Amino acid sequence: MKEYNITVVATNNPKIIKLEANHFLAKGNYEYKNIDEAKNSPLAQQLFYLPFIKTVYISGNFIALERFDIVEWNDVKDEVAQQLVEYLNAGEPVVHEDITQKKEPITVYAEVTPNPAVMKFVANKRIVPAVYEFKNIDEAKDSPLAQELFHFPFVKEVFFDENYVSISKYDMAEWEELTMQLREFIRDFLADGKEVVSAEALQKSKESTEQASTQTQYDDTSQQIIDILEEYVKPAVASDGGNILFQSYEAESKTVNVILQGACSGCPSSTFTLKNGIETMLKNMMGDKIHEVVALNG
């Protein structure tokens, strides 16, 4: 049985708190204004027995609660979180979701990339909040979708960003033979409402981003390079099914080190893109501070 932990998160609205779980609680999004509306949610019904609960929201891996003015959250939030942990760890149901409900209407189309070994599959919805790259099935333990994709013998690497999946293949087969099969598989996976990445992976990504933003302090030149990459380079690279990350700036040699991901990694045209695109742009915008751009994995 899963063991649940709850983290209390403040929101911009002082009347609402967010209770984040380390596992998914529901596939859909639910809002209840009173106990009568909560007939399909035993958890929400339990919460409404607390006299200060005004509204219950359940979505993904969190529950948000709106209070009446008779209490302050600081006085009751720990008790509410503890009750929630005990309820979930007792194996009680959160929401009785209709297993016969219609699948979510999802469309997925395939898009070629400059890298002949990589195909980009674009969905009509956001599938991940951050970038995820998996080089093999062992790295994909926190991604149900990536794990299933690696069961196809021709899948070499998997990359997620926003609303698309980039798949790198081995040379054992041609895209003409594979594209339709992969497109339909990804579409059906998303339409079934399955997790693309686990709640644990989402939390790790969130913590990693927050830690990086608080701990990493760049010099002015590095920060200027990062800003240029974010504004001018990343959108173009993402449209080709890849990503670029700033790694470091060597002031003495005036070298910019970057990491290429997704379709950009191992792409035959990546050297041309680096030298004639990114390097030229940085030189034009930053002058003699830039000598060259090097991809550490290019």
Side-chain angles (χ1 to χ4, degrees):
M1 182 184 293
K2 294 179 179 178
E3 182 175 348
Y4 287 87
N5 297 311
I6 294 293
T7 303
V8 180
V9 181
T11 70
N12 293 329
N13 187 336
K15 292 186 178 183
I16 297 176
I17 61 166
K18 189 176 178 182
L19 302 158
E20 291 187 349
N22 58 329
H23 299 289
F24 266 76
L25 303 174
K27 293 180 180 179
N29 304 312
Y30 303 91
E31 178 179 348
Y32 307 104
K33 296 290 187 182
N34 53 61
I35 196 169
D36 292 327
E37 289 186 1
K39 290 179 180 178
N40 70 329
S41 174
L43 173 57
Q45 288 182 324
Q46 286 291 111
L47 289 167
F48 277 117
Y49 286 123
L50 299 173
F52 51 83
I53 296 297
K54 182 179 180 181
T55 309
V56 178
Y57 309 86
I58 301 175
S59 178
N61 70 320
F62 74 86
I63 296 167
L65 301 176
E66 182 181 9
R67 63 171 173 81
F68 287 108
D69 292 333
I70 58 176
V71 297
E72 296 295 331
W73 278 125
N74 285 337
D75 298 328
V76 296
K77 63 182 182 181
D78 292 336
E79 182 182 347
V80 172
Q82 182 59 36
Q83 289 184 20
L84 188 54
V85 167
E86 292 174 358
Y87 182 94
L88 294 172
N89 285 328
E92 299 294 336
V94 177
V95 179
H96 293 306
E97 298 187 280
D98 184 3
I99 59 174
T100 63
Q101 63 186 0
K102 292 182 179 179
K103 289 186 176 182
E104 183 178 358
I106 296 291
T107 59
V108 174
Y109 66 88
E111 195 174 274
V112 296
T113 74
N115 188 340
V118 177
M119 185 69 72
K120 178 180 176 184
F121 296 88
V122 185
N124 63 331
K125 60 173 281 185
R126 191 183 192 212
I127 61 172
V128 289
V131 170
Y132 296 88
E133 184 175 40
F134 307 101
K135 298 288 188 180
N136 52 60
I137 195 168
D138 293 327
E139 291 185 2
K141 64 182 185 299
D142 289 329
S143 172
L145 176 54
Q147 281 189 322
E148 294 202 28
L149 287 170
F150 276 117
H151 287 139
F152 291 98
F154 48 80
V155 171
K156 182 179 181 182
E157 297 176 13
V158 178
F159 176 83
F160 300 145
D161 189 10
E162 290 285 340
N163 68 325
Y164 70 84
V165 181
S166 285
I167 296 176
S168 173
K169 72 172 180 66
Y170 289 103
D171 293 335
M172 60 190 294
E174 298 301 322
W175 282 121
E176 289 79 4
E177 307 163 15
L178 312 174
T179 301
M180 182 66 72
Q181 180 184 8
L182 285 171
R183 185 184 70 80
E184 292 180 353
F185 176 82
I186 294 170
R187 182 196 63 198
D188 291 344
F189 186 98
L190 297 175
D192 286 338
K194 297 179 182 178
E195 290 181 334
V196 176
V197 293
S198 67
E200 291 90 337
L202 293 172
Q203 186 63 27
K204 286 178 188 175
S205 176
K206 179 183 176 183
E207 291 173 355
S208 176
T209 301
E210 290 174 350
Q211 186 176 14
S213 63
T214 56
Q215 291 186 355
T216 306
Q217 293 191 352
Y218 295 107
D219 59 76
D220 291 344
T221 302
S222 294
Q223 190 58 56
Q224 189 178 355
I225 294 168
I226 292 170
D227 292 342
I228 292 172
L229 292 179
E230 289 288 334
E231 183 174 357
Y232 298 102
V233 180
K234 276 199 173 187
V237 171
S239 69
D240 286 336
N243 188 39
I244 183 169
L245 299 174
F246 172 82
Q247 181 67 18
S248 63
Y249 171 69
E250 300 172 14
E252 188 173 336
S253 62
K254 301 178 181 179
T255 300
V256 180
N257 295 306
V258 298
I259 295 175
L260 301 177
Q261 295 179 310
C264 298
S265 179
C267 177
S269 64
S270 62
T271 300
F272 178 85
T273 302
L274 277 175
K275 296 300 178 183
N276 294 278
I278 302 169
E279 186 177 294
T280 300
M281 176 185 293
L282 288 173
K283 284 180 177 179
N284 289 339
M285 299 181 77
M286 299 183 64
D288 59 6
K289 291 181 180 178
I290 305 298
H291 172 64
E292 67 173 339
V293 178
V294 176
L296 299 181
N297 62 335

